[in-house]
Amino acid sequence: MQIEAAVLRSPARPYAVEQVDLPDPGPGQVLVAIAGTGFCHTDVLPRVPGFMAPPPLIGGHEGAGVVTAAGPGAPVAVGTPVVLSFDSCGHCEQCLSGHPAYCAQFFRLNLTGRGATGAPTARGGDGTAISARWFGQSSFATHALAGPRNVVPVAADLPLELLGPLGCGIQTGAGSILLALGVQAGSTVVVYGVGAVGLAAIMAATIAGATTIAAVDLHDGRLETALELGATHVVRGDSDRLVKELVSITRGGAHYALDTTAVPQVIAAGIDALRPTGTIGLVGAGAREIVLAPSALSAGKNVMGILEGDAVPQVFLPRLIELWQQGRFPFDRLVTTYPLSEIERAEHDAATGAAIKPVLVPGKG
Ligand SMILES: NC(=O)c1ccc[n+]([C@@H]2O[C@H](COP(=O)([O-])OP(=O)(O)OC[C@H]3O[C@@H](n4cnc5c(N)ncnc54)[C@H](O)[C@@H]3O)[C@@H](O)[C@H]2O)c1
Ligand SMILES: [Zn+2]
Ligand SMILES: [Zn+2]
């Protein structure tokens, strides 16, 4: 069918909002009319020369909307409101053990833009083949095709245009705290970088009952937002006394930390500011090498890479929605909406920090 999509035609060029031909839903697939789709930092990776998802490509991996067509055997019916998340194979050891974010096919299914077939699935008006399976959805568009494992049905009475970011950035921050790190009540937590992922982590640490929650960033406005969302302390990331201050705030080092900055010096400081046996989770994309002295981890310290908060989206997203309904997880405060046609402005505002979580709304004029 003919849809309108923001197509990245080459790494350095602006997106082109154009008509694209998308195939009908195949077995297990659904076509979703997109109500809103978040802009995540991972969406800029196809702009990096040599990255595994070459343009032309339709990005977007935080879509939410309503199913308008369903292929044979699709898990949800036409008319169902859904949030779209990451894709997984469903039959590897990690998928079968309840850890689909560590699926053996994660990179192929999500980060090549081409999915399991390895081929572009959409066509531009000029006949060009366009990759349209980015994170199993490619939702910078009026419509997206999703597979059986990355569609999450939700209740009918929700503000669908705001829910897309639950599918990646918000799930990553909250899941890292509640699922991957398993933060305990009464513990101490430091979150490095309080953009969308870090602020979701701050809210989740509050829910988990952590009693000391420190936020670290270079952006004073974001530190202010962190305090409003549950941080008990804030520290500037460029402080010369960063480690000392955090060790003092946490009375001997943090039990848990989460790095969302991907800055090697910040990660190294985060390891130093852990208490013995503490764990730091790393979620930032594109980090360069970290140089560590052999003794840096000797006090039983742990470093854990985390994808998508180690969540099962169909289980975790409904929980986050319920916490939001109870007023305990106000992620909607992070959202700024833009028409799909203003995707360049959304990308710019995400890069400068002017918007914490831009959400593109195809229906917004
Ligand atoms: N692992 C996953 O599954 C997953 C999922 C979603 C996003 N991500 C990645 O997580 C990262 C964070 O995403 P986001 O949307 O929150 O991005 P963001 O840019 O909004 O947040 C990063 C924050 O780090 C801060 N920062 C940068 N340098 C700093 C420094 N030296 N000291 C302190 N703070 C510093 C920035 O000011 C910013 O507020 C990105 O790299 C994104 O690609 C990973
Ligand atoms: Zn798998
Ligand atoms: Zn993402």
Side-chain angles (χ1 to χ4, degrees):
M1 76 171 276
Q2 284 291 309
I3 65 162
E4 196 172 76
V7 181
L8 185 68
R9 287 219 161 238
S10 78
R13 290 227 317 256
Y15 290 91
V17 178
E18 57 181 277
Q19 296 289 313
V20 171
D21 191 41
L22 209 58
D24 290 333
Q29 289 185 333
V30 290
L31 182 71
V32 178
I34 298 296
T37 181
F39 194 102
C40 171
H41 273 248
T42 307
D43 287 310
V44 302
L45 292 180
R47 288 202 181 279
V48 177
F51 185 69
M52 64 179 93
L57 165 131
I58 304 170
H61 62 285
E62 294 187 339
V66 175
V67 173
T68 55
V76 292
V78 170
T80 310
V82 293
V83 176
L84 305 181
S85 191
F86 65 91
D87 206 0
S88 57
C89 80
H91 45 75
C92 71
E93 184 175 329
Q94 291 75 253
C95 282
L96 292 172
S97 313
H99 300 282
Y102 304 134
C103 174
Q105 303 293 327
F106 185 90
F107 290 92
R108 187 156 77 104
L109 293 175
N110 295 290
L111 285 156
T112 63
R114 297 181 171 189
T117 64
T121 43
R123 219 154 262 292
D126 59 357
T128 343
I130 297 172
S131 296
R133 303 292 300 141
W134 177 246
F135 281 75
Q137 52 181 292
S138 289
S139 49
F140 286 161
T142 53
H143 298 77
L145 278 177
R149 298 205 27 104
N150 69 326
V151 55
V152 181
V154 297
D157 54 350
L158 299 168
L160 261 185
E161 72 281 3
L162 299 181
L163 300 189
L166 291 176
C168 182
I170 304 294
Q171 163 172 266
T172 296
S176 294
I177 294 291
L178 297 172
L179 304 173
L181 292 169
V183 166
Q184 293 187 7
S187 65
T188 54
V189 177
V190 180
V191 178
Y192 298 87
V194 282
V197 175
L199 288 169
I202 297 280
M203 289 186 271
T206 310
I207 290 165
T211 41
T212 300
I213 305 171
V216 180
D217 207 297
L218 301 173
H219 200 293
D220 291 334
R222 291 189 172 193
L223 291 174
E224 197 58 44
T225 306
L227 284 172
E228 291 164 16
L229 293 175
T232 57
H233 299 76
V234 293
V235 183
R236 287 211 33 119
D238 50 5
S239 163
D240 313 334
R241 303 184 61 252
L242 181 62
V243 172
K244 276 200 174 131
E245 283 182 64
L246 290 169
V247 169
S248 157
I249 287 167
T250 54
R251 298 172 308 283
H255 292 94
Y256 309 98
L258 184 68
D259 178 74
T260 77
T261 70
V263 176
Q265 298 87 317
V266 173
I267 296 170
I271 293 169
D272 279 351
L274 285 175
R275 76 175 57 201
T277 76
T279 302
I280 183 167
L282 309 183
V283 299
R288 283 172 289 118
E289 283 172 11
I290 314 163
V291 180
L292 290 178
S295 59
L297 298 172
S298 58
K301 295 183 182 182
N302 304 285
V303 179
M304 179 193 282
I306 307 173
L307 285 173
E308 300 290 345
D310 192 13
V312 176
Q314 290 80 358
V315 176
F316 194 55
L317 268 48
R319 293 185 185 178
L320 292 182
I321 291 171
E322 207 160 330
L323 286 162
W324 171 73
Q325 286 174 317
Q326 291 187 357
R328 298 163 72 192
F329 189 68
F331 75 92
D332 53 322
R333 284 196 45 191
L334 313 183
V335 169
T336 309
T337 60
Y338 300 74
L340 180 62
S341 56
E342 293 186 20
I343 185 168
E344 289 297 318
R345 189 161 66 86
E347 183 176 31
H348 175 264
D349 289 355
T352 61
I356 297 174
K357 174 52 75 179
V359 169
L360 301 159
V361 178
K364 188 169 166 156

